[in-house]
Amino acid sequence: MTACDTLTMTKADFNHPDPWTEAEYLALDETNSRIELIDGGLWVSPAPTNEHQEISYLLTTILRPPASAAKLCVTQAGNVRLGPDRLVSPDITVRRPSKPGTRTEAADVVMVAEITSPSNATADRRFKKLLYAEAGIGWYLLVEPDHGTYQSIFLRLLRLEDTKYVEHAFAEYGETLITDLPFPVEISTEHLLDFAGD
Amino acid sequence: MTTTITEHFGPWAEADYLGLDTGINRVELINGNLLVSPWPDNCHQIALAPLVFGTMRAARKAGLHAVGNVWVRLTADTIVIPDVVAVDKRQNEDVTDVSDVILLGEVISPTTELIDRVLKAHLYAAAGIGWFLTVELEPAVVRLQRLQGDRYFEHAVAVAGQTLKSSFPFPFSITVDELFD
């Protein structure tokens, strides 16, 4: 018997009389969409576009060497536990190494990055920002491509001050975002759209 | 056509969303995403009926209509299900368009507080809904907020033992203690 045999898979249907628990959420069947658990409710977003995934990959490859040098790990679309019954999947999570598992505790997260797409831009700019701030995540990198053509992109690095994020660094298209914190890194905006490159 | 959450691929359009078999949970369409809310607790349900009926009664006196638990289209890919809306004409379509909405009322449960306060309030303001009435539980507070520019400002407020009275957007009054009677 494998570990999976002991788990009862739950279906993401709409006949659930009680709030979803973390255990039920983690046992949800695979879907074509990304599902996050927000205070016992579900936030179901469409699968990301190819462009979104390209940017996520390119940003991960930029972040990984300097993060490793600072003894940090970089994960794409992993589960992060922000609080009871609140589990989200940031596009990229930079975290302190922790024991293997299906989720990272917010206390181990150094920075999250979200790449906006037309369907999640409002959530990323407002809603997720508030969730990350409430969970005390120190740094939030917001990656904003031009959704029509993907010919430009800008970056905003936000730093948590008390309970709110303030802008720490900004780079418009053509510029490179250079920062020493949360770890020394340089992110070229042009490189993030270099889809054919490598 | 009935679609299920598992089979669907890509952002949900209005037609996909309206075709969902939604069972007992409240499912809303937010910018092409689905927001599935947990079943509300008893406290929410107790406050809900007096709020809906109170708003309906006041709206009718003013020659308007109020309905509870209906689809309201805020944008082409955003359809919400507020607890109550006051509208300026009787609705014949399944989905009420935001241009007909005069006031929107919501009972804020502790579990959905963050979504209601941050996400929904922003969407309602962006859609230009002029008046936003909220009932908070534990402690009980009724707040009437007015849209000014791109955000809501408090117009009137009442706590336990008080009655909220307003002449706008139509004359109505809500006695806080009656909501939890």
Side-chain angles (χ1 to χ4, degrees), chain A residues 12 15 34-35 44 49 56 70 81 91 105 128 138 156 176:
Chain A
N15 272 305
R34 178 181 292 186
I35 303 184
V44 186
T49 59
S56 179
R81 186 175 183 274
D91 288 326
E105 294 293 327
K128 292 284 180 69
R156 283 178 74 202
T176 295

Side-chain angles (χ1 to χ4, degrees), chain A residues 70-75 79-82 92-101 103-112 135-139 182-183:
Chain A
K71 301 205 164 19
L72 300 170
C73 311
V74 182
T75 317
N79 278 324
V80 175
R81 186 175 183 274
L82 299 179
I92 296 172
T93 306
V94 181
R95 59 185 174 86
R96 282 178 276 276
S98 48
K99 56 179 195 271
R103 62 187 192 203
T104 303
E105 294 293 327
D108 290 325
V109 176
V110 172
M111 182 177 87
V112 288
I137 292 175
W139 297 84
F183 54 90

